[in-house]
Amino acid sequence: MTAATTPARLSDEAVIPLRTLDPGAALDDLEWLDDAIGDARVVAIGESAHYNREFYELRHRLLRYLTERHGFGAYAMETGFTEGRRTDAWVRGGEDRLGEIMASGLTSLTGLWRQMGAHLEWMRRHNATAGRPVGFYGIDLGGQNASLIPALDAVLAYLAQADPGFQLDPAIRETASAFAATSAFAAPATMAVYAQLPPETKDALTAGLTGLAARMKGRRLEYVRRTTAEEYERALRSMHHALTLESVIRGMTGGDQQSVMYNRDAEIADTVEWILRRQDRIVLAAHNGHVQRGPATLPGMDPVTPMGMHLADRLGKDYLVIGATSGTGHMLNSDFAAFQAGVLFAPMEAPEPGSLDALMHAGHDGPFATDLRRLSPADAEAVRGATVQRAGVGAYYSPVSALDAYDIVVHLPHVTGADPDQAALACSPQEVRDVFSHYKPE
């Protein structure tokens, strides 16, 4: 079916209105989720672009509902795994200041927004009074997806207890320190540093990390006797992240973008499974391109296997996906030079005809959900005819088969940039403060 013959809108029967996105509002308009989620152990919530206020609020509200009504015990987010442990300690009553947590306990600028801070504050309040706490977990590679240091230092701190006689070759950490990005704004410069390293230096780093991972695997029983099984497993997961991130950095600087996507998403899928061995039910928050049950693409790239396909293969019906679409407003600026100059968001054009976003945008004036598994034949055909979706990378739309990729879609008719948090910015690296000092919200 072509875009020209795609029906203009879904029927009213397919629309489940959301009264509000306010995380603190009454939750009765979400009761349709009771039947929709069933016994799923992982409920993934997508977004079509990062750092939008409305997507933060939607996730916060859905987490509240799933925690309070269904006992979900973990919020797993597309942010660094190693760094996320500090955030988890805070939501469980830790003594750090919230601004420090937002700046250092979340990565790639995901924590620098007031809406994210409100989300963490709710988790902390909930945990202070609830009999069953909700934990925070990062699932991503960390280090702004460009620095091995956070994961490597977590491993070395663990080995100081578990293997006190062991001394890592200092050249390994020295090499890793040479390209240690402190923020997303510093990542391009540090990647350029890595690209200029001699091949033998890169190979020595790879060999050193591989040998360290093998040592940890082989000495598991000794390490567990000296520490705990949980401490060992956390350190080993950070080690896996360091290994994968090193392969990602090689791929990014060598032009192998497909391997970057394949390797990263397989690792974060493994991390979700690792969390699932500790928590009965998880709310998983990441970009649509990661959570979807179908191939993902970026401009100029052949399709790759995202995290969602791995989890669907491993978990079957225990994996439920809520995709997200958007209409108008502002989204993350894909012009990196402008982004670094403080123009963090760019205007969005109306959704492209024939896209899933356009079909949803015509369906209702306010935010709403559609359960794709309960559509009439005509509505299912309309969704089937929407063959692309806004990808959050400039004007690019990625191919999608929504009926295969998602169980539910939530549409937000207008999205805006999230609000920077001044306390978080004050705790951020200088280059972050410099860029945000030029930011003028729309």
Side-chain angles (χ1 to χ4, degrees):
M1 180 176 287
T2 67
T5 60
T6 300
R9 68 189 300 275
L10 296 172
S11 71
D12 291 344
E13 290 73 24
V15 172
I16 308 170
L18 303 180
R19 185 178 59 249
T20 180
L21 296 177
D22 179 2
L27 299 171
D28 54 288
D29 62 324
L30 297 178
E31 289 178 350
W32 57 273
L33 277 169
D34 297 348
D35 290 333
I37 65 170
D39 297 324
R41 295 189 64 200
V42 177
V43 173
I45 307 169
E47 62 182 0
S48 55
H50 292 317
Y51 317 141
N52 279 116
R53 174 194 189 110
E54 291 75 14
F55 287 123
Y56 277 118
E57 292 177 336
L58 173 67
R59 290 169 169 182
H60 184 168
R61 196 157 187 261
L62 291 178
L63 175 67
R64 248 195 81 204
Y65 189 86
L66 293 173
T67 298
E68 294 178 1
R69 303 288 181 91
H70 292 275
F72 278 65
Y75 184 66
M77 179 178 169
E78 186 186 341
T79 188
F81 170 80
T82 300
E83 295 89 341
R85 188 172 187 182
R86 186 176 180 185
T87 305
D88 183 62
W90 189 84
V91 301
R92 295 177 188 270
E95 296 181 356
D96 280 333
R97 291 182 298 156
L98 178 56
E100 293 174 345
I101 294 301
M102 295 169 69
S104 302
L106 297 102
T107 61
S108 300
L109 311 180
T110 56
L112 300 183
W113 314 94
R114 287 211 305 267
Q115 288 72 31
M116 188 67 226
H119 195 162
L120 297 178
E121 287 180 310
W122 175 83
M123 293 178 70
R124 184 178 171 101
R125 289 195 304 272
H126 171 84
N127 289 344
T129 59
R132 185 174 184 178
V134 57
F136 181 94
Y137 295 86
I139 60 170
D140 211 348
L141 303 180
Q144 327 305 326
N145 286 324
S147 173
L148 303 176
I149 291 299
L152 183 57
D153 279 356
V155 170
L156 295 178
Y158 173 76
L159 291 177
Q161 303 175 57
D163 198 350
F166 172 71
Q167 294 292 325
L168 181 71
D169 180 352
I172 295 174
R173 194 182 185 285
E174 289 171 7
T175 299
S177 296
F179 58 94
T182 52
S183 75
F185 299 115
T190 58
M191 287 289 187
V193 171
Y194 176 86
Q196 296 302 314
L197 292 176
E200 59 270 21
T201 302
K202 297 176 185 176
D203 291 344
L205 176 62
T206 302
L209 293 173
T210 303
L212 184 57
R215 183 181 184 89
M216 292 183 70
K217 181 179 179 181
R219 289 165 172 76
R220 175 185 176 276
L221 294 179
E222 294 177 23
Y223 288 1
V224 169
R225 281 196 297 269
R226 293 170 185 163
T227 58
T228 68
E230 182 64 16
E231 288 173 323
Y232 170 80
E233 292 293 339
R234 280 187 176 272
L236 186 63
R237 183 107 302 271
S238 287
M239 185 71 249
H240 286 312
H241 278 234
L243 277 171
T244 300
L245 180 55
E246 196 264 349
S247 77
V248 162
I249 293 169
R250 273 188 180 255
M252 290 178 70
T253 55
D256 185 2
Q257 297 298 316
Q258 275 200 298
S259 290
V260 168
M261 296 288 288
Y262 274 118
N263 296 354
R264 178 187 174 198
D265 274 64
E267 191 63 59
I268 59 179
D270 288 348
T271 302
V272 173
E273 277 203 298
W274 182 91
I275 299 167
L276 202 55
R277 292 195 291 271
R278 289 151 177 81
Q279 300 283 351
D280 290 337
R281 307 186 85 179
I282 299 171
V283 177
L284 174 61
H287 193 279
N288 286 332
H290 292 300
V291 302
Q292 67 189 39
R293 270 195 311 262
T297 63
L298 286 174
M301 181 187 298
D302 290 334
V304 298
T305 304
M307 168 188 66
M309 289 184 69
H310 289 288
L311 293 179
D313 177 65
R314 301 174 194 181
L315 302 177
K317 293 181 179 179
D318 279 342
Y319 183 61
L320 182 135
V321 189
I322 302 176
T325 56
S326 54
T328 60
H330 285 75
M331 69 181 199
L332 179 65
N333 197 338
S334 61
D335 181 338
F336 193 71
F339 184 73
Q340 286 195 305
V343 186
L344 303 182
F345 298 92
M348 295 166 55
E349 300 292 336
E352 180 179 294
S355 68
L356 183 63
D357 302 79
L359 178 67
M360 297 290 287
H361 197 53
H364 188 65
D365 291 338
F368 72 96
T370 294
D371 190 332
L372 300 184
R373 301 162 303 173
R374 293 171 169 83
L375 296 175
S376 69
D379 285 325
E381 188 63 20
V383 173
R384 195 172 290 111
T387 57
V388 295
Q389 178 178 9
R390 195 194 304 272
V393 184
Y396 179 69
Y397 281 72
S398 60
V400 69
S401 173
L403 295 177
D404 299 317
Y406 308 121
D407 299 292
I408 296 164
V409 174
V410 172
H411 181 71
L412 303 180
H414 189 78
V415 295
T416 57
D419 302 312
D421 185 277
Q422 296 306 313
L425 290 174
C427 298
S428 298
Q430 185 62 50
E431 69 268 12
V432 175
R433 299 199 299 273
D434 289 344
V435 170
F436 273 79
S437 71
H438 299 294
Y439 174 50
K440 296 180 175 60
E442 295 293 329

